[in-house]
Amino acid sequence: MSVLSAGDRVALVSPAGPALPERLAAGVGVLRSWGLAVTAPAVAPWSLPYLAGSDEARAAEFVSGWCSDVAAVFCVRGGYGCLRMTDLVPWKDLPPRVFVGSSDVTVLHTELNLVGQPTVFGPMPGTSDFVDDPLAQSRLHALLFEGVRSWTAGVPLVPGVARGVLTGGNCALLAASVGGPRWARPADGSLALLEDVGEEPYRLDRLLTQLLRAGWFEPVSGIVLGSWTGCGDVASVLQDRLSGLGVPILGEFGFGHCAGSWSLPLGVPAELDASAGTITLL
């Protein structure tokens, strides 16, 4: 996938919740220390404080930032709101860009991957997961500027090797989106990435059961599990709900809502070796 160079222009957008100004300023400072020219978001506050603006304003900012003369688009934070604006974006008309985001931004990754745009699931500059975590910063930098193509981490849950296109992201957002008019399941042979935060074991069970009953896992050839911060002891839930799928599963891979999170590409082909604990781009 494309990588960035010092001097590139990048746009920051707020498709979900608003970022704290001081935290966003610190994140912009990090991006500028990488040699990037940063355009910060300008969505006006709205009546619902958990959103960075109206659906129309956030969608317009997203499209405007994307279609400006930039090499990459970074979401400032997740929270909630991306699902509300997906119908307002002309996905097929967007030119190629590097795109970075995670958590609630999962729905935007899926839309972009559907039209052939690879993306990066990684920490966002308006969050403490980026600003206060030098290791997560360095791992995102390595992917964007050095074109890292392999990762080794995690614990094998079901051994085996599988190949496919990397897809997925936040479990709750994937469950919330199944059955939509444009996308309900991954492409055949996909490698699914799953993580979440703040979901108690019974709620995670419900999310996975919803995905199972929607047939979301039927095309999946392998699974990589990330962080489950604030979810309690979910090992037995993951084993119960996923081990019967008969595909390689690699757990505790360390992406998502966790310290030192890996940044991983989506929408690109890769090989998962769950036995060796590796993901390698093809």
Side-chain angles (χ1 to χ4, degrees), residues 133-228:
D133 194 334
L135 179 56
Q137 293 174 22
S138 68
R139 286 175 166 171
L140 177 58
H141 184 277
L143 177 58
L144 295 178
F145 286 80
E146 301 166 26
V148 173
R149 299 188 62 81
S150 64
W151 299 262
T152 301
V155 176
L157 299 183
V158 178
V161 177
R163 289 187 170 190
V165 173
L166 293 167
T167 190
N170 182 265
C171 187
L173 269 298
L174 294 169
S177 304
V178 293
R182 290 185 302 278
W183 49 282
R185 303 194 306 176
D188 288 345
S190 295
L191 299 176
L193 307 180
L194 296 174
E195 65 84 35
D196 219 314
V197 60
E199 299 288 354
E200 295 183 29
Y202 79 93
R203 288 162 57 182
L204 179 59
D205 185 316
R206 182 175 62 202
L207 294 171
L208 293 173
T209 299
Q210 182 178 351
L211 290 170
L212 285 164
R213 291 191 172 178
W216 193 89
F217 289 103
E218 290 178 9
V220 169
S221 64
I223 299 173
V224 182
L225 302 173
S227 64
W228 306 98

Side-chain angles (χ1 to χ4, degrees), residues 100 120-123 136 139-141 143 151 254-255 260-265:
V100 180
V120 173
F121 193 88
R139 286 175 166 171
L140 177 58
H141 184 277
L143 177 58
W151 299 262
F255 68 89
S261 63
W262 293 105
S263 292
L264 297 172

Side-chain angles (χ1 to χ4, degrees), residues 66 91 94 99 108-117 119:
W66 193 285
W91 299 103
L94 299 179
F99 178 69
L108 306 188
H109 286 291
T110 304
E111 295 281 7
L112 289 163
N113 294 165
L114 270 177
V115 296
Q117 295 253 20
T119 58

Side-chain angles (χ1 to χ4, degrees), residues 230-269:
C231 296
D233 184 1
V234 299
S236 58
V237 175
L238 296 171
Q239 178 74 17
D240 178 83
R241 295 285 73 196
L242 301 178
S243 63
L245 293 172
V247 301
I249 302 177
L250 181 58
E252 300 181 31
F253 200 80
F255 68 89
H257 296 79
C258 60
S261 63
W262 293 105
S263 292
L264 297 172
L266 298 175
V268 296

